[in-house]
Amino acid sequence: MEEPLGILKRLCSHVTGITDEATLSEQYRVSVGVLRSGLWIGSSASGGRSSDEARAVGERVKKWLIRHDRLQHAVQFSQLLNNVMNSSVLKNKASILTLLLLLGQESEHQQPHPSHALGNGLSDGGEFFTLPPLYLGSTDPGSRGSSRTTTGSSRSGSGPSIPASEADSDGRGSGSANWIPSRAAKLTTYYRGAAEHRSTSGSVRPPGGGERLITQQPQVSRQLAAQVEVTEEVLVREVLFVLQGIEGKIIKHDLANDGYKIDPKVRISKPVRDLILKLSEVGWLYSEVQKFCDGQLARGGFGLNKSASVGNIMNTGVTPGGLTQSTSFSALSTCQLLSGAALDNTNAPTPGSRLPRSGVGLSISGPTLVNQALVLALRDHLNEHCRLIAVLEAQLSAVNEEAADELSSSGGGLTLRRLLLWTLEPRLRLRSLVHLSHSARGLRGGALLSALYQHLQHGSPSTEGVVQHCLARSAAPLHAMLTQWLVHGALTDPHEEFFIAADHTASLHDLWHHKYSIRWCQLPSFVSAAEARQVLATGKSLNFLRSVCKLKTPLAEQQAIAAALKHTTVESLFVQESRPALQQLMDLTYRAACGRVLQEVLQEQQLLTHLRALRRYLLLGQGDFIHTLLQVLRVELCQPASRLYPHNLSSLLETAVAGSNARFDHPDTLRRLDVKLLQVAQGDTGWDVFSLDYHVDGPIGTVLTTQCMQQYLMLFNSLWRAKHMECVLSDTWKQQAATTKLCRNLPEVQVVVHGLQLLLSEMIHLVHQLGYYVTFEVLEVSWDALMKALDAPNSLDCLIAAHNSFLARIVKGALLDQRSADVRTHLRSIYDLMVRLAELQTRLHTGVAAEIQARQEKRSRELALAKEGQFSTGAGEEEAEQQRRHVFSSRFVTKLKTELKILTQTYQDMVQSLLLMLAAQDDDNLQQLSSRLDFNEHYQRRDRRLRQRLTFHHKRKSLGGAKAAAALAADNAHSPHALVC
């Protein structure tokens, strides 16, 4: 059997008609290079095609035969093709079949004109390749050379031209007008020129300007063989893959620059390269959105489900692509590729394969519902993009041989420029999606919605539509959570995305204050702070009624509100045109829920009754009860605190209630009133640890919280101490009146008694003014403001705020706040001085009573002796009497005078400091209290700094705050030019 290479050599001689051995060897060498390198089909460097590719070429040959009415030859060729495909000897079957096809076309001696070739490499007849139009037959070698320059240089811009001397080297002469060069002669001439030109150019382009690439044989130049050219159809198919973010054989991912790059082994003109790079931008945008979605899926954890719903929050009819098995609109086969071996993408998904099948849904099993909703929205647009690609691919694949003839003449078909026009709108849409995905990175819940909402106000209607669609899909979980919260008070937020937070560790007593709060970091920017507080109050009210008030019946308006909220759309959250309807429903729900809570607290639970009870008992508002209680507890509280027992004090409390008008109060109020002993310190008496208490529970405890009751106890202790001082001074005054009568015959004691009377009067004046200030300027004014605020409260929060404001005003007015700590310390010191005065008065009364008793006894003895006839006592007794009186006058009275002087000076210094502190306060009432305490300007004469409070300069400083006034007082103490009125 003859060798294949020998058969090829005979074939070359038969076709070309050359018998010269040297020329025939050149033709043979060229043919072998063509077969080995896949010259005509642009195969890869690895060589041969698969059997499917060979059959595809065979089908082309059969169609060519049928088109030329050679049916018998077509049948014969089919039988021969089967034998060739079953042969194991031939390696490059597709290349051989292609060569035979081209030789058959050459046998007709017809050259295709360059203008008849399609831009995508298809010939006028619909074949794979066009023959290199080296030159047309001409009688003038010069004209042939001109034709070569035009078709070769001007169209391709590269590659060698064919010299006229080489065109005539076949021995036929240039003057033969009827000579038409054969196909092999042209190839020989062309490749000879390519061999000479390889040193300056790495590739050879056929002079016809076709889009196919002719690789140079390894024997000629390896550099030329390293670069290939592809047809526009191949580039279009490559771009279709790139539009899906899939790299091909020519257009590959550029990881360093985060984009796409063209394989340097491929020769593409600069305009085409720029066009491809523009189209690759769409693929990069698609990949960015796809990566964001994949990242969210990896963190969120999507699961597949055969239902058509997305979890329990959203309902969507679009399934994200790439998550389910999909049906491609069309399948790309390698036989449809123009250069199948060079672009082997059989393992890659086909364009349009990402489009999912209908009827397959998603169930959300991972965190971040809002993020997953955003992924679904992005998937909608990605699926739309994939649909477009599938349509484009189907259009490209539907071009058959008959349509190719029509398109070649009409200029139709899918080209790169037309593909660029098709992708203008998808590019803008994907660019918007990339902006949204970049804004949403690292965010979740309401913060993510705020980031999306920033892109809503856009001048482009299409971009605004894309953003609105994504925002609407993303806000669907928020809308569902909001509806559940407003209608049922239920918080369905397993991943902490809603702007309402819940602390499940809080008790029912703290439900209103601590269980629910606003999560400000998740508050969307299209929801204002006032609306967020309104939403919070609505849900809290529903939970308060159900959990604390134990109400089982729903609100009367609940069903109507629920039905209305179900008809609202997600867009009503952020679209201004639809917002009023939702806002009206939110207001209606808020008023209904808060009104029901106020009804329960004010009417059912009788909140005002409890507030009045606190005012009467803990704020010492009921005078007869407080007076009776003081009288009953006087003896018991004078004991050390360690000897007190709560049950004894409770019985005395019941006695005080029974002995006053408090016995007519509501039984529930009296049941809540109790005695409480504070923490005992060393040296404390019963007055220091005794306190009344008022028990609160249930819904009332929401208003009268533990902190509020502590403030009430603090106020009671302060008022109780002042009331105790009033009682002490009252007893001291009574005792002093008795002492004054006893001292009529003791002139040496009159000075002490007078000094005690003056100091006692000052103390009584101080206590009465403080009591008047606290009672009328603090308690009564604050109580009146509270009653006005409780006339028509909007919600329980307003009621609680009014009560807290009431307590805050009382605490500040009673000098119990942090800023009045120094004033409070001075008052306690003054109270201690009052106790010392009472003790001094007691000692004086005791001493005077003892002295009067001794003198009366001596007088009695003298009268008795006079009756017996003895008109004088003994000398010893007289001396003892004189000694006793001397001790009383020199020691007892002198000591009392000294103590009284020290006590008076200390008291006046303390009062003077107190007046300065009160004058430096920013409260006008405290400044007026300072004036009333020094009504006769006694202390102004002692300290000129007290006079400056009437000046405009001091008034301005006092209005600026207590610290400024205190600093002014300190400066004036050292200033020799202090202003006086």
Side-chain angles (χ1 to χ4, degrees):
M1 184 178 180
E2 190 174 359
E3 293 295 332
L5 296 180
I7 298 176
L8 179 60
K9 191 172 184 179
R10 287 173 50 205
L11 180 62
C12 292
S13 177
H14 174 73
V15 172
T16 60
I18 299 175
T19 57
D20 182 62
E21 187 66 26
T23 305
L24 186 60
S25 299
E26 180 68 17
Q27 297 289 340
Y28 170 75
R29 182 181 62 79
V30 172
S31 301
V32 172
V34 171
L35 294 176
R36 288 182 177 177
S37 61
L39 169 65
W40 302 104
I41 55 176
S43 62
S44 61
S46 59
R49 297 169 175 255
S50 62
S51 59
D52 293 337
E53 295 170 339
R55 291 186 181 276
V57 178
E59 291 296 327
R60 289 285 185 173
V61 175
K62 288 193 293 182
K63 291 180 180 180
W64 183 83
L65 293 174
I66 294 174
R67 191 163 54 247
H68 290 78
D69 297 331
R70 300 170 63 178
L71 299 179
Q72 184 177 1
H73 293 168
V75 174
Q76 185 179 3
F77 177 78
S78 299
Q79 297 176 357
L80 295 176
L81 179 61
N82 293 331
N83 296 334
V84 170
M85 297 305 299
N86 295 330
S87 175
S88 59
V89 177
L90 298 178
K91 302 299 183 182
N92 299 329
K93 301 176 183 179
S95 300
I96 295 174
L97 293 174
T98 304
L99 178 60
L100 294 176
L101 176 60
L102 296 177
L103 291 176
Q105 294 174 349
E106 175 63 19
S107 64
E108 298 177 359
H109 300 286
Q110 295 179 354
Q111 295 285 353
H113 194 272
S115 62
H116 295 166
L118 290 175
N120 60 357
L122 291 177
S123 66
D124 183 56
E127 302 299 336
F128 260 127
F129 309 102
T130 59
L131 297 179
L134 300 179
Y135 53 85
L136 296 176
S138 177
T139 59
D140 185 9
S143 63
R144 292 195 305 266
S146 176
S147 176
R148 287 194 300 270
T149 304
T150 301
T151 59
S153 300
S154 64
R155 293 194 54 170
S156 64
S158 60
S161 62
I162 302 178
S165 59
E166 293 182 1
D168 300 337
S169 63
D170 55 358
R172 299 196 180 190
S174 60
S176 178
N178 298 326
W179 173 72
I180 298 178
S182 66
R183 179 70 172 179
K186 294 177 183 179
L187 291 177
T188 302
T189 305
Y190 179 75
Y191 281 104
R192 186 181 297 116
E196 295 175 358
H197 186 67
R198 66 180 179 270
S199 60
T200 58
S201 177
S203 63
V204 178
R205 185 185 180 110
E211 296 296 332
R212 64 182 176 85
L213 184 70
I214 304 177
T215 58
Q216 191 157 347
Q217 291 79 355
Q219 299 91 327
V220 180
S221 174
R222 294 188 179 273
Q223 292 182 353
L224 192 61
Q227 292 186 340
V228 293
E229 290 190 14
V230 292
T231 63
E232 187 174 9
E233 183 181 359
V234 174
L235 294 177
V236 168
R237 293 190 180 274
E238 281 281 310
V239 169
L240 289 179
F241 284 108
V242 172
L243 293 180
Q244 301 177 93
I246 305 172
E247 67 174 357
K249 292 295 184 179
I250 298 176
I251 307 175
K252 300 180 179 297
H253 288 297
D254 187 1
L255 300 179
N257 298 322
D258 189 20
Y260 289 93
K261 62 180 180 180
I262 300 176
D263 192 350
K265 297 181 180 180
V266 177
R267 290 191 60 193
I268 299 177
S269 63
K270 189 177 184 303
V272 176
R273 183 183 297 270
D274 295 339
L275 196 59
I276 292 175
L277 292 180
K278 288 182 181 179
L279 291 169
S280 65
E281 179 190 357
V282 180
W284 181 85
L285 295 173
Y286 180 91
S287 300
E288 287 295 306
V289 180
Q290 183 68 32
K291 286 189 293 185
F292 173 79
C293 295
D294 293 341
Q296 294 295 323
L297 298 183
R299 290 191 298 268
F302 275 70
L304 294 178
N305 190 3
K306 292 300 180 182
S307 64
S309 62
V310 181
N312 297 321
I313 303 297
M314 295 169 294
N315 187 11
T316 179
V318 181
T319 305
L323 296 179
T324 60
Q325 294 180 356
S326 59
T327 302
S328 174
F329 283 102
S330 60
L332 292 179
S333 60
T334 54
C335 64
Q336 292 176 310
L337 295 177
L338 188 57
S339 53
L343 301 173
D344 188 6
N345 281 312
T346 56
N347 295 326
T350 60
S353 62
R354 289 182 178 271
L355 190 65
R357 295 180 298 179
S358 60
V360 181
L362 294 176
S363 63
I364 299 175
S365 60
T368 62
L369 298 178
V370 175
N371 293 54
Q372 294 181 9
L374 175 60
V375 170
L376 292 178
L378 296 178
R379 290 291 192 185
D380 289 345
H381 293 283
L382 294 183
N383 289 339
E384 188 66 26
H385 179 74
C386 292
R387 290 188 183 96
L388 174 61
I389 296 175
V391 171
L392 295 175
E393 188 277 336
Q395 179 182 355
L396 183 63
S397 299
V399 178
N400 51 23
E401 296 303 325
E402 291 76 12
D405 295 336
E406 299 177 0
L407 292 175
S408 61
S409 59
S410 61
L414 186 61
T415 62
L416 291 176
R417 293 190 178 277
R418 291 178 179 177
L419 193 60
L420 181 63
L421 295 177
W422 274 96
T423 56
L424 285 179
E425 183 179 354
R427 179 187 291 106
L428 297 177
R429 181 169 61 249
L430 289 175
R431 190 173 296 168
S432 301
L433 297 180
V434 169
H435 286 306
L436 295 180
S437 61
H438 285 186
S439 301
R441 286 182 180 177
L443 301 177
R444 61 186 180 88
L448 186 146
L449 297 178
S450 299
L452 298 182
Y453 183 72
Q454 295 177 356
H455 300 272
L456 184 60
Q457 304 300 329
H458 200 278
S460 173
S462 60
T463 302
E464 184 177 355
V466 171
V467 177
Q468 182 171 343
H469 172 265
C470 294
L471 184 57
R473 292 294 300 272
S474 303
L478 177 68
H479 184 265
M481 295 177 191
L482 181 62
T483 303
Q484 292 292 324
W485 176 255
L486 293 177
V487 175
H488 305 289
L491 188 60
T492 311
D493 185 20
H495 312 302
E496 299 181 354
E497 297 177 291
F498 195 41
F499 59 87
I500 302 298
D503 182 8
H504 299 286
T505 61
S507 61
L508 289 179
H509 183 71
D510 297 331
L511 182 143
W512 188 271
H513 298 282
H514 299 101
K515 185 170 184 179
Y516 299 105
S517 60
I518 297 178
R519 189 182 288 116
W520 294 105
C521 62
Q522 297 296 338
L523 181 64
S525 57
F526 48 81
V527 179
S528 64
E531 292 174 343
R533 295 188 181 95
Q534 189 180 55
V535 171
L536 175 64
T538 303
K540 283 198 306 183
S541 300
L542 296 176
N543 282 278
F544 180 81
L545 293 173
R546 181 171 56 251
S547 302
V548 180
C549 299
K550 308 298 181 181
L551 294 181
K552 304 300 181 181
T553 58
L555 299 179
E557 304 87 350
Q558 184 172 357
Q559 294 182 355
I561 293 173
L565 284 175
K566 288 182 179 179
H567 289 85
T568 59
T569 60
V570 181
E571 289 78 3
S572 60
L573 288 172
F574 51 86
V575 177
Q576 298 300 326
E577 291 77 6
S578 306
R579 192 66 187 275
L582 179 62
Q583 184 63 44
Q584 184 178 3
L585 288 176
M586 292 170 59
D587 294 340
L588 179 62
T589 308
Y590 171 76
R591 290 194 297 268
C594 293
R596 186 66 181 88
V597 170
L598 290 176
Q599 179 184 358
E600 180 68 22
V601 172
L602 295 177
Q603 299 180 10
E604 302 296 333
Q605 302 296 329
Q606 298 293 323
L607 176 63
L608 293 180
T609 301
H610 296 286
L611 292 177
R612 293 189 180 98
L614 289 172
R615 179 172 178 264
R616 288 197 302 269
Y617 299 124
L618 267 65
L619 300 182
L620 310 185
Q622 188 162 346
D624 61 333
F625 168 75
I626 298 301
H627 178 74
T628 305
L629 185 64
L630 284 171
Q631 298 301 323
V632 171
L633 294 176
R634 180 188 299 270
V635 178
E636 190 75 16
L637 295 182
C638 289
Q639 299 179 6
S642 58
R643 297 183 181 180
L644 297 180
Y645 297 98
H647 60 277
N648 294 336
L649 298 177
S650 298
S651 62
L652 294 176
L653 176 62
E654 294 176 359
T655 302
V657 170
S660 64
N661 290 330
R663 65 180 181 274
F664 301 109
D665 209 340
H666 195 278
D668 181 65
T669 302
L670 298 178
R671 179 182 59 83
R672 295 174 183 270
L673 190 62
D674 197 2
V675 174
K676 182 178 181 180
L677 294 178
L678 305 179
Q679 187 176 1
V680 179
Q682 186 177 3
D684 287 346
T685 62
W687 295 102
D688 299 321
V689 298
F690 174 79
S691 177
L692 289 180
D693 192 15
Y694 193 83
H695 299 289
V696 293
D697 54 8
I700 298 301
T702 302
V703 180
L704 304 175
T705 61
T706 303
Q707 293 78 10
C708 292
M709 296 309 300
Q710 290 177 355
Q711 291 179 335
Y712 275 112
L713 293 179
M714 182 173 59
L715 288 168
F716 173 82
N717 291 330
S718 177
L719 297 175
W720 182 256
R721 184 184 294 272
K723 186 64 68 174
H724 176 217
M725 291 300 104
E726 184 179 350
C727 182
V728 168
L729 294 178
S730 178
D731 293 341
T732 303
W733 182 86
K734 293 178 183 179
Q735 194 179 55
Q736 191 180 70
T739 305
T740 303
K741 294 180 181 180
L742 293 175
C743 295
R744 291 176 180 176
N745 297 325
L746 299 175
E748 66 272 18
V749 186
Q750 293 297 327
V751 177
V752 178
V753 173
H754 181 68
L756 285 174
Q757 289 177 346
L758 292 178
L759 184 58
L760 180 62
S761 297
E762 290 188 29
M763 290 182 176
I764 291 175
H765 173 70
L766 176 66
V767 171
H768 284 175
Q769 290 299 322
L770 289 176
Y772 172 84
Y773 164 75
V774 173
T775 302
F776 294 99
E777 296 186 3
V778 177
L779 289 178
E780 290 298 330
V781 174
S782 301
W783 179 261
D784 182 68
L786 176 62
M787 291 297 101
K788 290 180 179 178
L790 296 183
D791 285 342
N794 295 327
S795 64
L796 185 59
D797 282 327
C798 296
L799 192 151
I800 293 174
H803 178 257
N804 292 340
S805 177
F806 164 74
L807 280 180
R809 292 185 61 180
I810 295 177
V811 169
K812 181 181 179 181
L815 304 175
L816 298 177
D817 56 338
Q818 187 65 29
R819 298 177 59 183
S820 304
D822 295 338
V823 180
R824 190 165 57 251
T825 302
H826 274 72
L827 276 178
R828 290 177 181 175
S829 301
I830 292 174
Y831 290 159
D832 293 338
L833 294 178
M834 293 178 181
V835 174
R836 288 174 57 186
L837 177 65
E839 294 175 353
L840 183 61
Q841 173 60 40
T842 302
R843 286 167 53 196
L844 175 62
H845 181 78
T846 303
V848 169
E851 181 65 21
I852 295 297
Q853 181 68 25
R855 292 186 180 188
Q856 288 179 353
E857 290 178 356
K858 182 179 180 302
R859 181 65 178 168
S860 298
R861 287 195 303 271
E862 289 179 350
L863 292 176
L865 290 175
K867 290 180 180 181
E868 294 176 358
Q870 300 180 4
F871 295 98
S872 65
T873 58
E877 187 176 354
E878 288 292 333
E879 184 178 358
E881 178 67 15
Q882 294 295 329
Q883 181 67 24
R884 186 186 57 78
R885 290 190 176 191
H886 177 72
V887 171
F888 175 77
S889 300
S890 60
R891 293 185 180 180
F892 178 75
V893 176
T894 303
K895 185 178 180 180
L896 288 179
K897 288 181 180 180
T898 304
E899 292 182 1
L900 179 61
K901 184 178 181 180
I902 295 174
L903 181 62
T904 303
Q905 184 66 34
T906 303
Y907 174 78
Q908 291 181 350
D909 292 342
M910 295 296 295
V911 172
Q912 181 176 342
S913 299
L914 177 63
L915 295 178
L916 286 173
M917 291 181 181
L918 293 177
Q921 295 291 326
D922 56 350
D923 190 357
D924 293 339
N925 293 328
L926 292 177
Q927 296 178 14
Q928 295 174 7
L929 174 63
S930 176
S931 301
R932 290 198 301 271
L933 291 176
D934 190 21
F935 69 98
N936 57 358
E937 298 184 354
H938 169 72
Y939 291 98
Q940 289 186 20
R941 290 189 291 270
R942 288 169 53 92
D943 191 344
R944 60 183 180 179
R945 290 177 296 177
L946 293 174
R947 303 178 185 180
Q948 199 172 9
R949 70 181 182 275
L950 299 179
T951 64
F952 174 76
H953 181 66
H954 181 81
K955 181 69 175 178
R956 183 177 60 185
K957 290 294 185 181
S958 63
L959 291 177
K963 293 183 179 180
L968 176 64
D971 293 339
N972 291 334
H974 302 87
S975 176
H977 305 288
L979 297 176
V980 294
C981 182

